[in-house]
Amino acid sequence: MLTLAAAALLAGYLIGRTRPAQRVSDWAERLTWRRPSVTRREWRWWAAQPVYACQIAVLLATQPRHTVHAWRTRHAPPPRSPAVTLVSPWPPPEDPR
């Protein structure tokens, strides 16, 4: 039992030191975001999509409210400007009554 706990601690330490998730995320970013010419027709875009899907799934599992709020904020339509009021340079006509 003690060796199992020690092995789990050692594995956790090594995973924390090597940071495989950060490395995979950086790899996907280098494939797509730093190259503006990458489109859906290239293998680079398709290779990075599973990485992004896993990142979104982890964010939804760990921080669901914040993730959904950020998504809604980003995809919200732009605010509408107020209606234009036209001002006439001439005085209004007098009432004939």
Coordinates of all heavy atoms in Angstrom, one line a residue:
M1 N 0.8 -1.2 0.0 CA 0.0 0.0 0.0 C 0.9 1.3 0.0 O 0.6 2.2 -0.7 CB -0.9 -0.1 1.2 CG -1.9 1.1 1.3 SD -3.1 0.8 0.0 CE -4.4 1.8 0.6
L2 N 1.9 1.2 0.8 CA 2.8 2.4 0.9 C 3.6 2.6 -0.5 O 3.7 3.7 -0.9 CB 3.9 2.2 2.0 CG 4.8 3.3 2.3 CD1 3.9 4.5 2.7 CD2 5.7 3.0 3.4
T3 N 3.9 1.5 -1.1 CA 4.6 1.7 -2.4 C 3.7 2.2 -3.5 O 4.1 2.9 -4.4 CB 5.2 0.3 -2.9 OG1 4.2 -0.7 -2.9 CG2 6.4 -0.1 -2.0
L4 N 2.4 1.8 -3.4 CA 1.4 2.3 -4.3 C 1.2 3.8 -4.2 O 1.2 4.6 -5.1 CB 0.1 1.6 -4.2 CG -1.0 2.0 -5.1 CD1 -0.6 1.6 -6.6 CD2 -2.3 1.3 -4.8
A5 N 1.2 4.3 -2.9 CA 1.0 5.7 -2.6 C 2.3 6.5 -3.1 O 2.2 7.6 -3.7 CB 0.8 5.9 -1.2
A6 N 3.4 5.9 -2.9 CA 4.7 6.5 -3.3 C 4.8 6.6 -4.8 O 5.2 7.6 -5.3 CB 5.9 5.8 -2.7
A7 N 4.3 5.6 -5.5 CA 4.3 5.6 -6.9 C 3.4 6.6 -7.5 O 3.7 7.3 -8.5 CB 4.0 4.2 -7.5
A8 N 2.2 6.7 -6.8 CA 1.2 7.7 -7.3 C 1.8 9.1 -7.1 O 1.6 10.0 -7.9 CB -0.1 7.5 -6.5
L9 N 2.4 9.4 -5.9 CA 3.0 10.7 -5.7 C 4.1 11.0 -6.7 O 4.2 12.1 -7.2 CB 3.5 10.8 -4.3 CG 2.5 11.0 -3.2 CD1 3.1 10.9 -1.8 CD2 1.8 12.3 -3.3
L10 N 4.9 10.0 -7.0 CA 6.0 10.2 -7.9 C 5.5 10.5 -9.3 O 5.9 11.4 -10.0 CB 6.9 9.0 -8.0 CG 8.1 9.1 -8.9 CD1 9.0 10.2 -8.5 CD2 8.8 7.8 -9.0
A11 N 4.4 9.7 -9.7 CA 3.8 9.9 -11.0 C 3.2 11.3 -11.1 O 3.3 12.0 -12.1 CB 2.8 8.9 -11.3
G12 N 2.5 11.7 -10.1 CA 1.9 13.1 -10.0 C 2.9 14.2 -10.1 O 2.8 15.2 -10.8
Y13 N 4.0 14.0 -9.4 CA 5.1 14.9 -9.4 C 5.7 15.1 -10.8 O 5.9 16.2 -11.4 CB 6.2 14.5 -8.4 CG 7.4 15.4 -8.5 CD1 7.4 16.7 -8.0 CD2 8.6 15.0 -9.1 CE1 8.5 17.5 -8.0 CE2 9.7 15.8 -9.2 CZ 9.6 17.1 -8.7 OH 10.7 17.9 -8.7
L14 N 6.0 13.9 -11.5 CA 6.6 13.9 -12.8 C 5.6 14.5 -13.8 O 6.0 15.3 -14.7 CB 7.0 12.5 -13.2 CG 8.2 11.9 -12.4 CD1 8.4 10.5 -12.8 CD2 9.4 12.8 -12.6
I15 N 4.3 14.2 -13.7 CA 3.4 14.8 -14.7 C 3.3 16.3 -14.4 O 3.2 17.1 -15.4 CB 2.0 14.1 -14.5 CG1 2.0 12.7 -15.1 CG2 0.9 14.9 -15.2 CD1 0.8 11.9 -14.8
G16 N 3.3 16.7 -13.2 CA 3.3 18.2 -12.9 C 4.6 18.9 -13.4 O 4.5 20.0 -13.8
R17 N 5.7 18.2 -13.4 CA 6.9 18.9 -13.8 C 7.0 18.9 -15.3 O 7.5 19.9 -15.9 CB 8.1 18.1 -13.3 CG 8.3 18.2 -11.8 CD 8.6 19.5 -11.3 NE 10.0 19.9 -11.8 CZ 10.4 21.2 -11.7 NH1 9.7 22.1 -11.2 NH2 11.6 21.4 -12.1
T18 N 6.5 17.9 -16.0 CA 6.6 17.9 -17.5 C 5.5 18.7 -18.1 O 5.6 19.1 -19.3 CB 6.6 16.5 -18.0 OG1 5.4 15.8 -17.6 CG2 7.8 15.7 -17.6
R19 N 4.4 18.9 -17.5 CA 3.2 19.6 -17.9 C 2.8 19.2 -19.3 O 2.9 20.0 -20.3 CB 3.5 21.1 -17.9 CG 3.9 21.6 -16.5 CD 4.3 23.0 -16.5 NE 3.1 23.8 -16.7 CZ 2.7 24.7 -15.9 NH1 3.4 25.0 -14.9 NH2 1.6 25.4 -16.2
P20 N 2.4 18.0 -19.5 CA 2.0 17.5 -20.9 C 0.8 18.3 -21.5 O 0.8 18.6 -22.7 CB 1.7 16.1 -20.7 CG 1.3 15.9 -19.3 CD 2.1 16.9 -18.6
A21 N -0.1 18.7 -20.7 CA -1.3 19.4 -21.2 C -0.8 20.8 -21.8 O -1.3 21.2 -22.8 CB -2.3 19.6 -20.2
Q22 N 0.1 21.4 -21.1 CA 0.6 22.7 -21.5 C 1.4 22.6 -22.8 O 1.3 23.4 -23.7 CB 1.4 23.4 -20.4 CG 2.0 24.8 -20.8 CD 0.8 25.8 -20.9 OE1 0.0 25.8 -20.0 NE2 0.9 26.6 -21.8
R23 N 2.1 21.5 -22.9 CA 2.9 21.3 -24.1 C 2.0 21.0 -25.3 O 2.3 21.5 -26.4 CB 3.9 20.1 -23.9 CG 5.0 20.5 -23.0 CD 5.9 19.2 -22.7 NE 6.9 19.5 -21.8 CZ 8.2 19.6 -22.0 NH1 8.6 19.5 -23.3 NH2 9.0 19.9 -21.1
V24 N 1.0 20.2 -25.1 CA 0.1 19.9 -26.2 C -0.7 21.2 -26.6 O -0.9 21.4 -27.8 CB -0.9 18.8 -25.8 CG1 -2.0 18.6 -26.9 CG2 -0.1 17.5 -25.7
S25 N -1.1 22.0 -25.7 CA -1.8 23.2 -26.0 C -0.9 24.2 -26.8 O -1.3 24.8 -27.7 CB -2.2 23.9 -24.7 OG -2.8 25.1 -24.9
D26 N 0.4 24.3 -26.3 CA 1.3 25.2 -27.1 C 1.5 24.7 -28.5 O 1.7 25.4 -29.4 CB 2.6 25.3 -26.3 CG 2.5 26.0 -25.0 OD1 1.5 26.8 -24.9 OD2 3.5 25.9 -24.2
W27 N 1.6 23.3 -28.6 CA 1.8 22.7 -30.0 C 0.6 23.1 -30.9 O 0.8 23.5 -32.0 CB 1.9 21.2 -29.8 CG 1.9 20.5 -31.1 CD1 2.9 20.3 -32.0 CD2 0.8 19.8 -31.7 NE1 2.5 19.6 -33.1 CE2 1.2 19.2 -32.9 CE3 -0.5 19.6 -31.3 CZ2 0.4 18.5 -33.7 CZ3 -1.4 18.9 -32.1 CH2 -0.9 18.3 -33.3
A28 N -0.6 23.0 -30.4 CA -1.8 23.3 -31.2 C -1.8 24.8 -31.5 O -2.2 25.2 -32.6 CB -3.0 22.9 -30.4
E29 N -1.4 25.6 -30.6 CA -1.4 27.1 -30.9 C -0.3 27.4 -32.0 O -0.6 28.2 -32.9 CB -1.0 27.8 -29.6 CG -1.1 29.3 -29.8 CD -0.7 30.1 -28.6 OE1 -0.7 29.5 -27.5 OE2 -0.5 31.3 -28.7
R30 N 0.8 26.7 -31.9 CA 1.8 27.0 -32.9 C 1.4 26.5 -34.3 O 1.7 27.1 -35.3 CB 3.1 26.2 -32.6 CG 4.0 26.9 -31.5 CD 5.4 26.3 -31.4 NE 5.4 24.9 -31.2 CZ 5.4 24.3 -30.1 NH1 5.3 25.0 -29.0 NH2 5.4 23.0 -30.0
L31 N 0.5 25.4 -34.3 CA 0.0 24.9 -35.6 C -0.9 25.9 -36.3 O -0.9 26.1 -37.5 CB -0.7 23.6 -35.4 CG 0.2 22.4 -35.3 CD1 -0.7 21.2 -35.1 CD2 1.0 22.2 -36.5
T32 N -1.8 26.6 -35.5 CA -2.9 27.3 -36.1 C -2.8 28.8 -35.9 O -2.8 29.6 -36.8 CB -4.2 26.8 -35.6 OG1 -4.2 27.0 -34.2 CG2 -4.5 25.4 -36.0
W33 N -2.7 29.3 -34.7 CA -2.9 30.7 -34.4 C -1.7 31.6 -34.9 O -1.9 32.7 -35.2 CB -3.1 30.9 -32.9 CG -4.4 30.4 -32.4 CD1 -4.6 29.3 -31.7 CD2 -5.7 30.9 -32.7 NE1 -5.9 29.1 -31.5 CE2 -6.6 30.1 -32.1 CE3 -6.1 32.0 -33.4 CZ2 -8.0 30.3 -32.2 CZ3 -7.5 32.3 -33.5 CH2 -8.4 31.4 -32.8
R34 N -0.6 31.1 -34.9 CA 0.6 31.9 -35.3 C 0.7 31.9 -36.9 O 1.6 32.6 -37.4 CB 1.8 31.4 -34.7 CG 1.8 31.7 -33.2 CD 3.0 31.3 -32.5 NE 2.9 31.5 -31.1 CZ 3.7 31.0 -30.2 NH1 4.8 30.4 -30.6 NH2 3.5 31.2 -28.9
R35 N -0.1 31.2 -37.5 CA -0.1 31.2 -39.0 C -1.4 31.6 -39.5 O -2.4 30.8 -39.5 CB 0.3 29.8 -39.5 CG 1.7 29.4 -39.1 CD 2.0 28.0 -39.5 NE 3.3 27.6 -39.1 CZ 3.8 26.4 -39.1 NH1 3.1 25.4 -39.5 NH2 5.0 26.2 -38.6
P36 N -1.6 32.8 -40.0 CA -2.9 33.2 -40.4 C -3.4 32.5 -41.7 O -4.6 32.6 -42.0 CB -2.7 34.7 -40.7 CG -1.3 34.9 -40.9 CD -0.6 33.8 -40.1
S37 N -2.5 31.9 -42.4 CA -3.0 31.2 -43.6 C -3.6 29.8 -43.4 O -4.0 29.2 -44.4 CB -1.8 31.1 -44.6 OG -0.8 30.3 -44.0
V38 N -3.6 29.3 -42.2 CA -4.1 28.0 -41.9 C -5.6 28.0 -41.9 O -6.3 28.8 -41.2 CB -3.6 27.5 -40.5 CG1 -4.3 26.2 -40.2 CG2 -2.1 27.4 -40.5
T39 N -6.2 27.2 -42.8 CA -7.6 27.1 -42.9 C -8.1 25.7 -42.7 O -7.3 24.8 -42.4 CB -8.1 27.6 -44.3 OG1 -7.5 26.7 -45.3 CG2 -7.6 29.0 -44.6
R40 N -9.4 25.4 -42.8 CA -9.9 24.1 -42.6 C -9.5 23.1 -43.7 O -9.7 21.9 -43.5 CB -11.4 24.1 -42.6 CG -12.0 24.8 -41.4 CD -13.5 24.8 -41.4 NE -13.9 25.6 -40.2 CZ -15.2 25.9 -40.1 NH1 -16.1 25.6 -40.9 NH2 -15.5 26.5 -39.0
R41 N -8.9 23.5 -44.7 CA -8.4 22.6 -45.8 C -7.0 22.0 -45.5 O -6.6 21.2 -46.2 CB -8.4 23.4 -47.1 CG -9.7 23.8 -47.5 CD -9.7 24.5 -48.8 NE -11.0 25.1 -49.1 CZ -11.5 25.3 -50.3 NH1 -10.7 24.9 -51.3 NH2 -12.7 25.8 -50.5
E42 N -6.4 22.5 -44.4 CA -5.0 22.0 -44.1 C -5.1 21.0 -42.9 O -5.9 21.1 -42.0 CB -4.1 23.1 -43.8 CG -3.9 24.1 -45.0 CD -2.9 25.1 -44.7 OE1 -2.0 24.8 -43.9 OE2 -3.0 26.2 -45.2
W43 N -4.1 20.1 -42.9 CA -4.1 19.1 -41.8 C -3.8 19.8 -40.5 O -4.2 19.2 -39.5 CB -3.0 18.1 -42.2 CG -1.6 18.6 -42.1 CD1 -0.9 19.1 -43.1 CD2 -0.8 18.6 -41.0 NE1 0.3 19.5 -42.7 CE2 0.5 19.2 -41.4 CE3 -0.9 18.2 -39.6 CZ2 1.5 19.4 -40.5 CZ3 0.2 18.4 -38.8 CH2 1.3 19.0 -39.2
R44 N -3.1 20.9 -40.5 CA -2.7 21.5 -39.2 C -4.0 21.9 -38.4 O -4.0 21.8 -37.2 CB -1.9 22.8 -39.5 CG -0.5 22.5 -40.0 CD 0.3 23.8 -40.1 NE 1.6 23.5 -40.6 CZ 2.0 23.7 -41.8 NH1 1.2 24.1 -42.7 NH2 3.3 23.4 -42.1
W45 N -4.9 22.5 -39.2 CA -6.2 22.9 -38.5 C -6.9 21.7 -37.9 O -7.4 21.7 -36.8 CB -7.1 23.6 -39.5 CG -8.3 24.3 -38.9 CD1 -8.3 25.5 -38.4 CD2 -9.6 23.7 -38.7 NE1 -9.6 25.8 -37.9 CE2 -10.4 24.7 -38.1 CE3 -10.1 22.5 -39.0 CZ2 -11.7 24.5 -37.8 CZ3 -11.5 22.3 -38.7 CH2 -12.2 23.3 -38.1
W46 N -7.0 20.6 -38.7 CA -7.7 19.4 -38.2 C -6.9 18.7 -37.1 O -7.5 18.1 -36.2 CB -7.9 18.4 -39.3 CG -8.9 18.9 -40.3 CD1 -8.7 19.5 -41.5 CD2 -10.3 19.0 -40.1 NE1 -9.9 19.9 -42.0 CE2 -10.9 19.6 -41.2 CE3 -11.2 18.5 -39.0 CZ2 -12.3 19.7 -41.3 CZ3 -12.5 18.7 -39.1 CH2 -13.1 19.3 -40.3
A47 N -5.6 18.8 -37.1 CA -4.8 18.2 -36.0 C -5.0 18.9 -34.7 O -4.9 18.3 -33.6 CB -3.3 18.2 -36.4
A48 N -5.2 20.2 -34.7 CA -5.4 21.0 -33.5 C -6.8 21.0 -32.9 O -6.9 21.2 -31.7 CB -5.0 22.5 -33.8
Q49 N -7.8 20.6 -33.7 CA -9.2 20.6 -33.2 C -9.4 19.7 -32.0 O -10.1 20.0 -31.1 CB -10.1 20.3 -34.3 CG -10.1 21.4 -35.4 CD -10.2 22.8 -34.8 OE1 -11.1 23.2 -34.1 NE2 -9.2 23.6 -35.1
P50 N -8.9 18.4 -32.0 CA -9.1 17.6 -30.8 C -8.5 18.2 -29.5 O -9.1 18.1 -28.4 CB -8.4 16.3 -31.1 CG -8.4 16.2 -32.6 CD -8.3 17.7 -33.0
V51 N -7.4 18.9 -29.7 CA -6.8 19.5 -28.5 C -7.7 20.7 -28.0 O -7.9 20.8 -26.8 CB -5.4 20.1 -28.9 CG1 -4.8 20.9 -27.7 CG2 -4.5 19.0 -29.3
Y52 N -8.2 21.5 -28.9 CA -9.1 22.5 -28.5 C -10.4 22.0 -27.9 O -11.0 22.5 -26.9 CB -9.5 23.4 -29.6 CG -8.3 24.2 -30.2 CD1 -8.1 24.4 -31.5 CD2 -7.3 24.7 -29.3 CE1 -7.0 25.1 -32.0 CE2 -6.2 25.4 -29.8 CZ -6.1 25.6 -31.1 OH -5.0 26.3 -31.6
A53 N -10.9 20.9 -28.4 CA -12.1 20.3 -27.9 C -11.9 19.8 -26.5 O -12.8 19.9 -25.6 CB -12.6 19.1 -28.8
C54 N -10.7 19.2 -26.2 CA -10.4 18.7 -24.8 C -10.3 19.9 -23.9 O -10.7 19.8 -22.7 CB -9.1 17.9 -24.9 SG -9.3 16.3 -25.6
Q55 N -9.7 21.0 -24.3 CA -9.6 22.2 -23.5 C -10.9 22.7 -23.1 O -11.2 23.1 -22.0 CB -8.8 23.2 -24.2 CG -7.3 22.9 -24.3 CD -6.5 24.0 -25.1 OE1 -7.1 24.8 -25.8 NE2 -5.2 23.9 -25.0
I56 N -11.9 22.8 -24.1 CA -13.2 23.3 -23.8 C -13.9 22.3 -22.9 O -14.6 22.8 -22.0 CB -14.0 23.5 -25.1 CG1 -13.3 24.6 -25.9 CG2 -15.4 23.7 -24.9 CD1 -13.8 24.7 -27.3
A57 N -13.8 21.0 -23.1 CA -14.4 20.1 -22.2 C -13.9 20.2 -20.7 O -14.7 20.2 -19.8 CB -14.2 18.7 -22.7
V58 N -12.6 20.4 -20.6 CA -12.1 20.6 -19.2 C -12.6 21.9 -18.6 O -13.0 21.9 -17.4 CB -10.5 20.5 -19.3 CG1 -9.9 21.0 -18.0 CG2 -10.0 19.1 -19.6
L59 N -12.6 22.9 -19.4 CA -13.1 24.2 -18.8 C -14.6 24.1 -18.5 O -15.0 24.6 -17.4 CB -12.9 25.3 -19.9 CG -11.5 25.8 -20.0 CD1 -11.4 26.8 -21.1 CD2 -11.1 26.5 -18.7
L60 N -15.4 23.4 -19.3 CA -16.8 23.2 -19.0 C -17.0 22.4 -17.7 O -18.0 22.6 -17.0 CB -17.6 22.6 -20.2 CG -18.0 23.6 -21.3 CD1 -18.5 22.9 -22.5 CD2 -18.9 24.6 -20.8
A61 N -16.1 21.4 -17.5 CA -16.3 20.5 -16.4 C -15.8 21.2 -15.1 O -16.3 21.0 -14.0 CB -15.5 19.2 -16.6
T62 N -14.8 22.1 -15.2 CA -14.2 22.7 -14.0 C -14.8 24.0 -13.7 O -14.9 24.4 -12.5 CB -12.7 22.8 -14.1 OG1 -12.4 23.5 -15.3 CG2 -12.0 21.4 -14.2
Q63 N -15.1 24.8 -14.7 CA -15.6 26.2 -14.5 C -16.8 26.4 -15.4 O -16.7 27.2 -16.3 CB -14.6 27.2 -14.7 CG -13.4 27.1 -13.9 CD -12.3 28.1 -14.3 OE1 -12.3 28.6 -15.3 NE2 -11.3 28.3 -13.4
P64 N -17.9 25.7 -15.2 CA -19.0 25.8 -16.2 C -19.7 27.2 -16.3 O -19.9 27.7 -17.4 CB -20.1 24.8 -15.7 CG -19.7 24.6 -14.2 CD -18.3 24.8 -14.1
R65 N -19.9 27.9 -15.1 CA -20.5 29.2 -15.2 C -19.6 30.2 -15.9 O -20.1 31.0 -16.8 CB -20.8 29.7 -13.8 CG -21.9 29.0 -13.1 CD -22.2 29.7 -11.8 NE -23.2 28.9 -11.1 CZ -23.5 29.1 -9.8 NH1 -22.8 30.1 -9.1 NH2 -24.4 28.4 -9.2
H66 N -18.4 30.3 -15.6 CA -17.5 31.2 -16.2 C -17.3 31.0 -17.7 O -17.3 31.9 -18.5 CB -16.1 31.2 -15.4 CG -15.1 32.2 -16.0 ND1 -15.3 33.5 -15.7 CD2 -14.0 32.0 -16.7 CE1 -14.3 34.1 -16.3 NE2 -13.5 33.3 -16.9
T67 N -17.2 29.7 -18.0 CA -17.0 29.4 -19.4 C -18.2 29.8 -20.3 O -18.1 30.3 -21.3 CB -16.7 27.9 -19.6 OG1 -15.6 27.5 -18.8 CG2 -16.4 27.5 -21.0
V68 N -19.4 29.4 -19.8 CA -20.6 29.8 -20.5 C -20.8 31.3 -20.6 O -21.2 31.8 -21.7 CB -21.8 29.1 -19.9 CG1 -23.1 29.6 -20.5 CG2 -21.7 27.6 -20.1
H69 N -20.5 32.0 -19.5 CA -20.6 33.4 -19.5 C -19.7 34.1 -20.5 O -20.0 35.0 -21.2 CB -20.4 34.0 -18.1 CG -20.4 35.5 -18.0 ND1 -21.5 36.2 -18.2 CD2 -19.4 36.4 -17.9 CE1 -21.2 37.5 -18.1 NE2 -19.9 37.6 -17.9
A70 N -18.4 33.6 -20.5 CA -17.4 34.1 -21.5 C -17.9 33.8 -22.9 O -17.7 34.7 -23.8 CB -16.1 33.5 -21.2
W71 N -18.4 32.6 -23.2 CA -18.9 32.3 -24.5 C -20.0 33.2 -24.9 O -20.1 33.7 -26.1 CB -19.3 30.9 -24.6 CG -19.6 30.4 -26.0 CD1 -18.7 30.0 -26.9 CD2 -20.8 30.5 -26.7 NE1 -19.3 29.7 -28.1 CE2 -20.6 30.0 -28.0 CE3 -22.1 30.9 -26.3 CZ2 -21.7 29.9 -28.9 CZ3 -23.1 30.8 -27.2 CH2 -22.9 30.3 -28.5
R72 N -21.0 33.4 -24.0 CA -22.1 34.3 -24.4 C -21.7 35.7 -24.6 O -22.2 36.4 -25.5 CB -23.2 34.2 -23.2 CG -24.0 32.9 -23.2 CD -25.0 32.9 -22.2 NE -25.7 31.7 -22.2 CZ -26.5 31.3 -21.2 NH1 -26.5 32.0 -20.1 NH2 -27.1 30.1 -21.3
T73 N -20.8 36.2 -23.8 CA -20.3 37.6 -23.9 C -19.6 37.7 -25.3 O -19.8 38.7 -26.0 CB -19.3 37.9 -22.8 OG1 -20.0 37.7 -21.6 CG2 -18.8 39.3 -22.9
R74 N -18.8 36.7 -25.7 CA -18.1 36.8 -26.9 C -19.0 36.8 -28.1 O -18.8 37.4 -29.1 CB -17.0 35.7 -27.0 CG -16.2 35.7 -28.2 CD -15.2 34.7 -28.3 NE -14.6 34.7 -29.6 CZ -13.4 34.3 -29.8 NH1 -12.6 33.9 -28.8 NH2 -12.9 34.3 -31.0
H75 N -20.0 36.0 -28.0 CA -20.9 35.8 -29.2 C -22.2 36.6 -29.1 O -23.1 36.4 -29.9 CB -21.3 34.3 -29.3 CG -20.1 33.5 -29.7 ND1 -19.2 32.9 -28.8 CD2 -19.6 33.1 -30.9 CE1 -18.3 32.3 -29.5 NE2 -18.5 32.3 -30.7
A76 N -22.3 37.6 -28.2 CA -23.4 38.4 -28.1 C -23.4 39.4 -29.3 O -22.4 39.8 -29.8 CB -23.4 39.2 -26.8
P77 N -24.6 39.8 -29.8 CA -24.6 40.8 -30.9 C -24.1 42.1 -30.3 O -24.2 42.4 -29.1 CB -26.1 40.8 -31.2 CG -26.8 40.3 -30.1 CD -25.9 39.3 -29.4
P78 N -23.6 42.9 -31.2 CA -23.2 44.2 -30.8 C -24.3 45.1 -30.2 O -25.5 44.9 -30.7 CB -22.6 44.9 -32.0 CG -23.1 44.1 -33.1 CD -23.5 42.8 -32.6
P79 N -24.1 46.0 -29.3 CA -25.2 46.8 -28.8 C -25.7 47.7 -29.8 O -25.0 48.2 -30.7 CB -24.5 47.6 -27.6 CG -23.1 47.5 -27.9 CD -22.8 46.3 -28.7
R80 N -27.0 48.0 -29.8 CA -27.6 48.8 -30.7 C -27.5 50.3 -30.3 O -27.5 50.6 -29.1 CB -29.1 48.5 -30.9 CG -29.3 47.1 -31.4 CD -30.8 46.8 -31.5 NE -31.3 47.7 -32.6 CZ -32.6 47.7 -32.8 NH1 -33.5 47.0 -32.2 NH2 -33.1 48.5 -33.8
S81 N -27.2 51.1 -31.3 CA -27.1 52.5 -31.0 C -28.5 53.1 -30.8 O -29.5 52.6 -31.4 CB -26.3 53.3 -32.0 OG -27.0 53.1 -33.3
P82 N -28.7 54.2 -30.1 CA -30.0 54.9 -30.0 C -30.5 55.4 -31.3 O -29.7 55.7 -32.2 CB -29.8 56.0 -29.0 CG -28.3 56.2 -29.0 CD -27.7 54.9 -29.3
A83 N -31.7 55.6 -31.4 CA -32.3 56.1 -32.7 C -31.8 57.5 -32.9 O -31.6 58.3 -32.0 CB -33.8 56.1 -32.6
V84 N -31.7 57.8 -34.2 CA -31.2 59.1 -34.6 C -32.4 60.1 -34.5 O -33.5 59.9 -34.9 CB -30.7 59.1 -36.0 CG1 -30.3 60.5 -36.5 CG2 -29.6 58.1 -36.2
T85 N -32.1 61.3 -33.8 CA -33.1 62.4 -33.8 C -32.6 63.4 -34.7 O -31.5 63.9 -34.7 CB -33.1 62.9 -32.3 OG1 -31.8 63.4 -32.0 CG2 -33.6 61.9 -31.4
L86 N -33.6 63.8 -35.6 CA -33.3 64.8 -36.6 C -33.7 66.2 -36.1 O -34.9 66.3 -35.6 CB -34.0 64.5 -37.9 CG -33.6 63.1 -38.5 CD1 -34.5 62.9 -39.8 CD2 -32.2 63.1 -38.9
V87 N -32.9 67.1 -36.2 CA -33.2 68.5 -35.8 C -33.3 69.4 -37.0 O -32.4 69.4 -37.8 CB -32.1 69.0 -34.9 CG1 -32.4 70.5 -34.4 CG2 -31.9 68.1 -33.7
S88 N -34.5 70.0 -37.1 CA -34.7 70.9 -38.3 C -34.1 72.3 -38.1 O -34.2 72.8 -37.0 CB -36.2 71.0 -38.5 OG -36.5 72.0 -39.5
P89 N -33.5 72.8 -39.1 CA -32.9 74.2 -38.9 C -34.0 75.3 -38.9 O -33.7 76.4 -38.6 CB -32.0 74.3 -40.1 CG -32.5 73.3 -41.1 CD -33.1 72.2 -40.4
W90 N -35.2 74.9 -39.3 CA -36.3 75.9 -39.4 C -37.2 75.7 -38.2 O -37.4 74.6 -37.7 CB -37.1 75.8 -40.7 CG -36.2 76.0 -41.9 CD1 -35.8 77.2 -42.4 CD2 -35.7 75.0 -42.7 NE1 -35.0 77.0 -43.5 CE2 -34.9 75.6 -43.7 CE3 -35.7 73.6 -42.7 CZ2 -34.2 74.9 -44.7 CZ3 -35.0 72.9 -43.7 CH2 -34.3 73.6 -44.7
P91 N -37.9 76.8 -37.8 CA -38.8 76.6 -36.7 C -40.0 75.8 -37.1 O -40.4 75.8 -38.3 CB -39.2 78.1 -36.4 CG -38.9 78.9 -37.6 CD -37.7 78.2 -38.3
P92 N -40.7 75.2 -36.2 CA -41.9 74.4 -36.6 C -43.0 75.3 -37.1 O -43.1 76.5 -36.7 CB -42.2 73.7 -35.3 CG -41.6 74.5 -34.2 CD -40.4 75.1 -34.8
P93 N -43.9 74.8 -37.9 CA -44.9 75.6 -38.4 C -45.9 76.0 -37.3 O -46.1 75.2 -36.4 CB -45.6 74.8 -39.5 CG -45.2 73.4 -39.2 CD -43.8 73.5 -38.5
E94 N -46.5 77.2 -37.4 CA -47.5 77.6 -36.4 C -48.8 76.8 -36.6 O -49.2 76.5 -37.7 CB -47.7 79.1 -36.5 CG -46.5 79.8 -36.1 CD -46.7 81.3 -36.1 OE1 -47.9 81.8 -36.1 OE2 -45.7 82.0 -36.1
D95 N -49.5 76.6 -35.5 CA -50.8 76.0 -35.5 C -51.8 77.0 -36.1 O -52.0 78.1 -35.5 CB -51.2 75.5 -34.1 CG -52.3 74.5 -34.2 OD1 -52.6 74.0 -35.3 OD2 -52.9 74.3 -33.1
P96 N -52.6 76.6 -37.1 CA -53.6 77.6 -37.7 C -54.8 77.8 -36.9 O -55.7 78.6 -37.3 CB -53.9 77.0 -39.1 CG -53.7 75.6 -38.9 CD -52.6 75.4 -37.9
R97 N -55.0 77.3 -35.8 CA -56.2 77.4 -35.0 C -56.4 78.7 -34.4 O -55.9 79.6 -34.0 CB -56.3 76.4 -33.9 CG -56.5 75.0 -34.4 CD -56.8 74.1 -33.2 NE -55.8 73.1 -33.2 CZ -55.8 72.1 -32.3 NH1 -56.6 72.2 -31.3 NH2 -55.0 71.1 -32.4

